[in-house]
Amino acid sequence: THQMACQGLQGGETVASLKRESESLRKKLEEERKKLSDIELNQVAEKIEVLGPLSIKTRRVLKGHGNKVLCMDWCKDKRRLVSSSQDGKVIVWDAFTLNKEHGVALPCTWVMACAYAPSGCAVACGGLDNKCSVFPLSLDKNENLSAKKKSVAMHTNYVSGCTFTSSDMQILTSSGDGTCALWDVESGQLLQSFHGHTADVLSLDLAPSETGNTFVSGGCDKKANIWDMRSGQNIQSFESHESDINCVKYYPSGDAFASASDDATCRFYDLRADREVAVYQKDSVIFGASTVDFSLSGRLLFAGYNDYTINVWDVLKGTRASILFGHENRVSRVRVSPDGTALCSASWDNTLRVSWAAYL
Amino acid sequence: MSGSSSIVAMKKIVQQLRLEAGINRVKVSQAAADLQQFCLQNAQQDPLLTGMSSSNNPFRPQKVCSFL
């Protein structure tokens, strides 16, 4: 009824007055952010030494997937990793020996997300099945992992990303249904949902543990949002990309994050300044960026692109420090190992590559 | 009832914007200086940046045992 429709309105509020207020608030936000924009990050970084040549090269190629590798995640033990593929297969590898330690075939295709549990005793994965399932990893190689599968998350569209939180007990998911959600692994209960994106959410990343209970998400609405995990509140929002954001990743200090987009740029946002502080782009880089990750010190940003390359950006100076070739199709995921020694890249060429710098 | 749902939606947007407009911000110069300091402080412990010493390399070639 018309009566109910007017509930919650303060005297005189109409759609028109709310619209005017939202426009003036947006303007105010822009002005506030501009006021504090007294210098560019790369100008501040002019005084520091240019990076020397990097000696990072591919040293291992992990072959075994029969189709596009869509996602991978390192185990905290710094040598194992889990990867997932378009053909529904999830494989746990020892990146050191190239040994395949576990394999499970999911009943769905396009397993877009996979994550290793902090304990190293389980993996989570999901995709076109709209779910995220957890598999405990057994020491018994002959055990059928599928039998132990536990369905945890249920979305109404594909699962694009998943991560365990600080323990094996909770997972955070992002979905094509436009939401992110926090789940209790044991009961499958939805603990918190995060609404605010207006299109598919393609990626999420948890803030480094020292900085508290927040995470960042990015998606097809070109926005990157920062969320409070406990309250479900959207704390900050950034909109400067010109196309889908495919990946978001926190800077190691937790004070900033980077994003990769179909607009062929990667961008760097500082949370305390509440704005974009760098754009990583080149005229010669015209293909979409699908994935990003930082080196341990945050100085290097590894970005995988649809032109099969990985550009290594100097985060402070904004220039390209190196370019890694080798994949024969799109790079879908790059991840630096937990101790910062190696970079793993996953690709639509069905392989994963592990790269590291020369030893001195 | 498009009337009521658009009012509810608009109220949500305004509430969100009020929240975002209210947060404390620092100057980019300050934020940039802190980001830079973090990088420089941790540079020597960044193996992809500096390379690794032989003894620490977990992927170094190991002696291989063959079982005959």
Side-chain angles (χ1 to χ4, degrees), chain A residues 17 27 68 83 140 181 224 286 288 292:
Chain A
S17 75
K27 247 185 141 183
K68 305 177 173 73
S83 60
D140 177 3
I286 57 172
V292 278

Side-chain angles (χ1 to χ4, degrees), chain A residues 238-275:
Chain A
F238 303 86
E239 189 170 2
S240 61
H241 273 293
E242 295 166 16
S243 187
D244 297 2
I245 294 176
N246 296 312
C247 183
V248 286
K249 197 71 175 60
Y250 269 94
Y251 182 73
S253 73
D255 289 331
F257 70 92
S259 57
S261 167
D262 276 354
D263 69 9
T265 72
C266 294
R267 294 175 196 241
F268 192 36
Y269 301 86
D270 186 282
L271 296 179
R272 297 174 316 142
D274 188 40
R275 59 170 293 129

Side-chain angles (χ1 to χ4, degrees), chain A residues 77-119:
Chain A
D77 73 0
K78 313 156 220 167
R79 63 186 280 169
R80 285 176 178 78
L81 53 90
V82 60
S83 60
S84 62
S85 170
Q86 184 195 343
D87 66 359
K89 299 253 171 45
V90 173
I91 300 177
V92 173
W93 315 72
D94 181 320
F96 174 18
T97 62
L98 301 186
N99 193 28
K100 295 179 196 51
E101 299 200 337
H102 302 276
V104 63
L106 267 68
C108 73
T109 58
W110 289 89
V111 187
M112 299 168 205
C114 62
Y116 229 114
S119 68

Side-chain angles (χ1 to χ4, degrees), chain A residues 96 339 341 356-360, chain B residues 47 51-62:
Chain A
F96 174 18
D339 62 355
T341 52
W356 58 85
Y359 39 101
L360 312 160
Chain B
M52 298 173 285
S53 74
S54 269
S55 51
N56 291 338
N57 186 350
F59 294 96
R60 68 190 179 281
Q62 298 236 293

